[in-house]
Amino acid sequence: NAGVTQTPKFRVLKTGQSMTLLCAQDMNHEYMYWYRQDPGMGLRLIHYSVGEGTTAKGEVPDGYNVSRLKKQNFLLGLESAAPSQTSVYFCASSSGLELFFGPGTRLTVL
Amino acid sequence: GQQLNQSPQSMFIQEGEDVSMNCTSSSIFNTWLWYKQDPGEGPVLLIALYKAGELTSNGRLTAQFGITRKDSFLNISASIPSDVGIYFCAGLRDNNAGNMLTFGGGTRLMVKP
């Protein structure tokens, strides 16, 4: 089992550009999450999904969109990137209280 | 905004020393969890606490769920170099609300051999 995988690992964008981060899990988990990690701020929830075809807003959803068309995939989109979105993005999945995290995507917006 | 206050923010200790860190909140949580993040990796669950007053160990790690349900503590005994990383506390209020966790800001631990 690969667990939770994320692509890409690194990306540099210019302000205004768009991109999609892909998360995939092979554990048949119902719940999937996108977090961002900033120094001293811990992990903040952007969006989450409790099942295929469903999504919901987390703590910091502005500027992001998500889709869960297949149970194993959870996509995070930035329509018009801003420097404030420079961060490390983590995807996670769970079937209970234990979240399994991916290795992260380091995004820099210039 | 940030609802879990974790302290200290960083610690630099000598190998073999014991470590204590804590997490406090103005709100009640029903479950407390402690995660460790190794450099360049995603966080991994260390210990989960489900009941006020509960004390749980995992090897050299011991964590406690505070009686008031507004705090939790993590202790590491006899630290070793591989303990280096960022330790996060996380709390869960409603077990049915998509299991959304609130994370603390993290404690960065550095161990000098």
Side-chain angles (χ1 to χ4, degrees):
Chain A
N1 284 353
V4 179
T5 58
Q6 292 181 232
T7 53
K9 285 187 168 51
F10 303 94
R11 186 71 186 267
V12 177
L13 290 178
K14 294 181 180 178
T15 297
Q17 286 185 317
S18 63
M19 78 162 294
T20 300
L21 281 67
L22 172 64
C23 176
Q25 53 100 359
D26 62 3
M27 296 173 282
N28 202 35
H29 287 165
E30 288 294 332
Y31 299 160
M32 295 188 75
Y33 312 83
W34 275 106
Y35 287 89
R36 60 176 289 172
Q37 182 179 20
D38 302 293
M41 301 290 287
L43 292 151
R44 292 183 292 169
L45 183 64
I46 304 171
H47 286 280
Y48 67 100
S49 168
V50 300
E52 181 180 316
T54 72
T55 63
K57 294 180 180 180
E59 182 186 354
V60 288
D62 294 342
Y64 305 95
N65 57 75
V66 288
S67 64
R68 183 105 181 264
L69 298 179
K70 293 182 179 180
K71 186 177 184 179
Q72 64 267 34
N73 295 336
F74 196 29
L75 278 62
L76 177 71
L78 286 74
E79 289 186 351
S80 180
S84 61
Q85 293 177 305
T86 293
S87 187
V88 181
Y89 292 85
F90 286 98
C91 175
S93 71
S94 77
S95 60
L97 289 178
E98 180 173 2
L99 267 61
F100 293 83
F101 284 87
T105 295
R106 184 174 294 274
L107 176 66
T108 301
V109 182
L110 302 175
Chain B
Q2 195 71 46
Q3 296 177 24
L4 290 184
N5 299 308
Q6 196 170 341
S7 65
Q9 287 189 349
S10 63
M11 303 178 73
F12 188 60
I13 62 169
Q14 192 77 35
E15 182 177 0
E17 289 183 355
D18 296 343
V19 173
S20 291
M21 59 190 77
N22 68 76
C23 204
T24 61
S25 172
S26 58
S27 305
I28 288 174
F29 286 91
N30 296 323
T31 301
W32 285 91
L33 305 111
W34 285 91
Y35 284 81
K36 183 195 176 194
Q37 182 181 25
D38 288 328
E41 303 286 333
V44 174
L45 181 66
L46 296 174
I47 292 179
L49 302 157
Y50 301 104
K51 199 164 57 172
E54 180 181 352
L55 187 71
T56 297
S57 293
N58 178 6
R60 293 179 295 105
L61 277 61
T62 301
Q64 184 162 23
F65 192 145
I67 288 291
T68 65
R69 294 199 285 159
K70 292 182 179 181
D71 55 11
S72 180
F73 307 88
L74 176 70
N75 295 318
I76 305 173
S77 62
S79 59
I80 58 179
S82 62
D83 289 334
V84 163
I86 303 176
Y87 292 79
F88 290 102
C89 61
L92 180 66
R93 284 200 190 83
D94 182 346
N95 290 346
N96 295 315
N99 290 340
M100 287 188 293
L101 296 177
T102 299
F103 281 85
T107 294
R108 183 180 295 273
L109 179 64
M110 293 159 280
V111 179
K112 183 178 180 183

